[in-house]
Amino acid sequence: MKNKIPTRIYLTEDEMPKNWYNLRAIMKEKPDPILHPGTLKPVTADDLGPVFCKGVIEQELDDTNLLIPIPDEIQDFYRAYRPSPLIRAYYLEKMLDTPAEIYYKFEGTNTSGSHKLNSAGPQAYYAMKEGLTSLTTETGAGQWGTAMAMACGFYNLKLIVYMVKVSSEQKPYRKALMEAYGAQLIPSPSNTTESGKKILAADPNTGGSLGCAISEAIEVAVKTDKCRYVLGSVLNHVLLHQSVIGLETKAALDKYGVKPDIIIGCAGGGSNLGGLIAPFMGEKIEGKSNARFIAVEPASCPSFTRGRYAYDFGDTAKTTPLIRMQTLGNDFIPSANHAGGLRYHGMNSTLSKLYKDSLLEARSEVQTDVFDAAIKFMKVEGVLPAPESSHAIKAAIDEALVCKKKGEKKVILFGLSGTGFFDMTAYASYNNKTMSDHIPSDTDLERGFASIPDIPQNK
Ligand SMILES: *Cc1c(COP(=O)(O)O)cnc(C)c1O
């Protein structure tokens, strides 16, 4: 076949991104500022200082510089496992018998198994540079904790991971992997913190939640000398680091003159989606492209499609600053969906603003449909997808089938954020048909909305 685009589109080391792409800088209307929960004024670097590293605070508050240089040491860190594969899904196209071209960017080849290492590396690097000696964080499904354990192992930092108790019991291999990299694992809620003790006193048998683990990790960071807290999604500096995904994809596609018409990603807190779309959305905002962008979320945790656009806390104990975002309310506890990485009540503020301004579309899917799509995909493409990432597969297949019906030769790009190797319990439950779909009722959602703070900005 002449001029056939290769199945794997490689980048050379020279073609790797030298800058991150700060999408907010190109937006005509910016996302609303993060507010201090006490004063309700925009937070300052000093407000965030006790919790986060200086390097990331500067990035978090920057909505004017479009290109932010990636320090040489982080470019080196990235080179250890990047560029990640960009794959033309010829077999999937053939199976669907669609005129559409389908591409996916696969972030699951590093040991942590997902895109999260792209931000874990920089966050540990800045902490090391600032002379800190330890970090704390939380993990739900375990991907973020593993990525941070790898990064802290690399930069010789101590790491304490508060892991949602049910997950630590369900995923013993995640725990072993984090410990092998030198991290200390504490099932949350625990009696090592005041917030943990409070939650345990109220419900000694609780399985924990992400919001609760965040509260514990922040408390320890603030109380410990030379220690800060790191977060793996939701915040804008995380999206900034993840823009490496979109920049690599764009550089590779540009080599062959390919321009995606539809770009799809799964959305938990928004970091892999935000990173993938960043440079493409920039072109759209500049009027240079007509691409569509689609966020896919679980029907059990529908922050975009059924959430409210409001200022809310990032954690259950209401200790974080207030972020204006699509939210289900800080005490919304999603049902036990297998896509653990998508079980978060809120959504990144930049993506929330893009959604509100109709630049980003969103849809929700139930997990049995998502696993149907995952199985179709892995049978022809060979790659075992994470349950989270399979939400994007579902939408990509649906869009390819629309192209088939209309006879349209669109270019579809989706983010395959991780591997499913640590999710075999989920696949087992799909195989033996014990998997069920839970969609919250309006009454369930009202209960969550009631926890959104009653402040003038939300009127
Ligand atoms: C954590 C995770 C997600 C969800 O997080 P985002 O910040 O929305 O990207 C999606 N896929 C995988 C594989 C994850 O580990």
Side-chain angles (χ1 to χ4, degrees), residues 76-336:
D76 285 343
F77 182 89
Y78 281 164
R79 271 189 216 107
Y81 68 99
R82 307 196 67 82
S84 68
L86 176 67
I87 299 167
R88 171 80 183 266
Y90 280 115
Y91 293 106
L92 184 63
E93 291 171 13
K94 200 168 157 203
M95 187 263 287
L96 298 171
D97 188 25
T98 173
E101 289 179 21
I102 308 175
Y103 298 82
Y104 64 95
K105 180 78 167 159
F106 183 37
E107 292 293 321
T109 55
N110 71 78
T111 296
S112 73
S114 85
H115 65 285
K116 295 211 169 65
L117 195 58
N118 303 331
S119 184
Q123 295 201 47
Y125 166 79
Y126 290 119
M128 177 275 294
K129 271 294 224 211
E130 285 161 32
L132 303 176
T133 52
S134 64
L135 292 171
T136 67
T137 196
E138 76 292 326
T139 199
Q143 288 97 317
W144 171 244
T146 312
M148 264 328 290
M150 287 175 72
C152 287
F154 187 79
Y155 290 111
N156 262 317
L157 295 162
K158 190 178 160 221
L159 176 69
I160 302 177
V161 182
Y162 283 91
M163 185 165 186
V164 176
K165 196 194 271 167
V166 280
S167 306
S168 72
E169 287 158 4
Q170 284 165 356
K171 295 194 164 182
Y173 298 128
R174 275 278 173 203
K175 183 166 178 283
L177 182 53
M178 286 183 253
E179 286 173 346
Y181 276 107
Q184 182 191 352
L185 260 281
I186 302 177
S188 166
S190 74
N191 55 18
T192 63
T193 65
E194 293 310 316
S195 40
K197 282 181 202 162
K198 222 181 266 170
I199 294 160
L200 281 175
D203 181 4
N205 296 319
T206 175
S209 73
L210 211 48
C212 157
I214 294 176
S215 308
E216 289 204 273
I218 293 180
E219 183 182 325
V220 173
V222 171
K223 284 181 178 166
T224 310
D225 191 35
K226 291 195 176 175
C227 178
R228 293 291 186 282
Y229 164 73
V230 286
L231 185 64
S233 183
V234 190
L235 295 178
N236 282 315
H237 65 267
V238 184
L239 260 76
L240 178 73
H241 303 151
Q242 296 298 353
S243 68
V244 69
I245 305 172
L247 291 162
E248 278 184 10
T249 307
K250 189 161 185 312
L253 290 178
D254 280 351
K255 288 209 278 191
Y256 293 90
V258 176
K259 280 199 173 300
D261 299 303
I262 304 173
I263 306 178
I264 300 167
C266 67
S271 75
N272 86 87
L273 173 69
L276 175 69
I277 69 173
F280 299 102
M281 181 62 87
E283 285 193 330
K284 179 164 171 132
I285 291 170
E286 286 182 306
K288 292 181 188 160
S289 128
N290 246 333
R292 284 170 57 207
F293 300 85
I294 306 173
V296 193
E297 61 187 6
S300 58
C301 193
S303 328
F304 272 126
T305 51
R306 295 173 73 197
R308 297 225 172 121
Y309 187 59
Y311 271 106
D312 196 9
F313 291 99
D315 69 331
T316 320
K318 304 183 201 287
T319 54
T320 68
L322 294 165
I323 301 177
R324 188 147 192 213
M325 58 183 173
Q326 285 293 130
T327 180
L328 296 166
N330 58 71
D331 73 2
F332 177 80
I333 306 249
S335 66

Side-chain angles (χ1 to χ4, degrees), residues 373-393:
I375 300 291
K376 278 193 189 127
F377 171 82
M378 65 191 262
K379 277 189 178 162
V380 290
E381 290 292 323
V383 172
L384 173 72
E388 291 87 350
S389 324
S390 303
H391 287 71
I393 299 176

